[in-house]
Amino acid sequence: DAKTTQPTSMDCAEGRAANLPCNHSTISGNEYVYWYRQIHSQGPQYIIHGLKNNETNEMASLIITEDRKSSTLILPHATLRDTAVYYCIKSSHNAGNMLTFGGGTRLMVKP
Amino acid sequence: GAGVSQTPSNKVTEKGKYVELRCDPISGHTALYWYRQSLGQGPEFLIYFQGTGAADDSGLPNDRFFAVRPEGSVSTLKIQRTERGDSAVYLCASSFPNDNEQFFGPGTRLTVL
């Protein structure tokens, strides 16, 4: 089962929106798109997930294309504390389905 | 409430020794996962517990690795005859039974000399 594809690294200016793309062309009908991030020396942290519709929470927005083959995580006003590795993962919604992490995108937010 | 905790935070051992790594999940989370993360890579799945039983241990690399969760709460990952290649950060995560939002602990950094 192929993992998702993400750019290795991205930079973003503090206060600007960070748009992190993800390709998941092999996603199946029952798989959600999950986003996690990992700040240096910490465990991964859940950000958001979605199936078909766009989603928004207090941390970020998730835009999923109509064909579900790609998505974009949006951090509307990036801060220095958002510097982290961001992982896009496809997984079904039930517990017991392990998260298959790829290499992620290393986001560097710069002042 | 408290998040997932892992002890010790760091463990240095010698090649060939036995180590135990402990995970305390969030109260009420019946699902528990172990992952391993090598430097510069994403976490890799090792084993998943639902309650006391290991429902999926397909990620364990070999029979030197074993994990238990005898009372359906705390879990211990056990590594026998450690090798230098076992050096990594071992992460534990937990979740509610019908949810795949996993809450991760800070990890245990294992160094095998």
Side-chain angles (χ1 to χ4, degrees):
Chain A
D1 190 19
K3 297 175 183 175
T4 63
T5 304
Q6 299 177 253
T8 304
S9 63
M10 292 180 63
D11 289 346
C12 177
E14 187 179 20
R16 305 298 292 266
N19 296 281
L20 292 90
C22 178
N23 181 295
H24 34 79
S25 57
T26 61
I27 197 168
S28 60
N30 68 340
E31 288 184 312
Y32 287 67
V33 179
Y34 282 80
W35 283 82
Y36 282 74
R37 73 179 183 184
Q38 188 171 25
I39 294 170
H40 184 61
S41 296
Q42 297 182 21
Q45 175 192 24
Y46 166 83
I47 301 173
I48 198 168
H49 73 278
L51 182 64
K52 294 181 183 178
N53 299 321
N54 299 337
E55 302 287 345
T56 295
N57 63 20
E58 65 279 3
M59 289 182 70
S61 294
L62 175 60
I63 308 298
I64 303 173
T65 58
E66 191 170 345
D67 64 7
R68 301 213 317 126
K69 292 185 177 182
S70 64
S71 62
T72 301
L73 179 76
I74 301 172
L75 308 178
H77 305 287
T79 71
L80 298 179
R81 288 175 294 180
D82 291 322
T83 293
V85 178
Y86 287 77
Y87 296 100
C88 168
I89 301 162
K90 53 185 179 74
S91 178
S92 66
H93 193 51
N94 297 322
N97 290 284
M98 78 289 285
L99 300 174
T100 302
F101 290 83
T105 295
R106 184 172 298 277
L107 177 68
M108 179 72 71
V109 180
K110 298 184 174 181
Chain B
V4 177
S5 62
Q6 294 186 244
T7 54
S9 55
N10 282 282
K11 176 70 177 178
V12 180
T13 191
E14 293 179 344
K15 180 176 178 295
K17 299 290 188 182
Y18 167 83
V19 296
E20 290 189 352
L21 312 179
R22 176 188 168 108
C23 172
D24 281 85
I26 292 172
S27 178
H29 283 188
T30 59
L32 185 146
Y33 308 78
W34 284 97
Y35 293 83
R36 177 169 73 171
Q37 185 171 26
S38 300
L39 190 63
Q41 299 181 20
E44 293 179 298
F45 169 76
L46 294 176
I47 186 170
Y48 155 64
F49 287 89
Q50 181 59 257
T52 60
D56 183 350
D57 64 358
S58 61
L60 295 178
N62 52 59
D63 60 5
R64 297 187 296 105
F65 289 75
F66 189 71
V68 295
R69 196 185 184 198
E71 298 178 356
S73 179
V74 171
S75 177
T76 304
L77 179 66
K78 308 180 181 192
I79 310 174
Q80 298 177 324
R81 305 183 304 280
T82 52
E83 300 177 356
R84 293 193 180 88
D86 299 335
S87 296
V89 175
Y90 289 80
L91 295 160
C92 175
S94 68
S95 73
F96 287 111
N98 296 315
D99 193 346
N100 204 17
E101 178 185 341
Q102 297 183 20
F103 293 80
F104 283 80
T108 294
R109 180 175 298 277
L110 175 66
T111 303
V112 182
L113 301 176

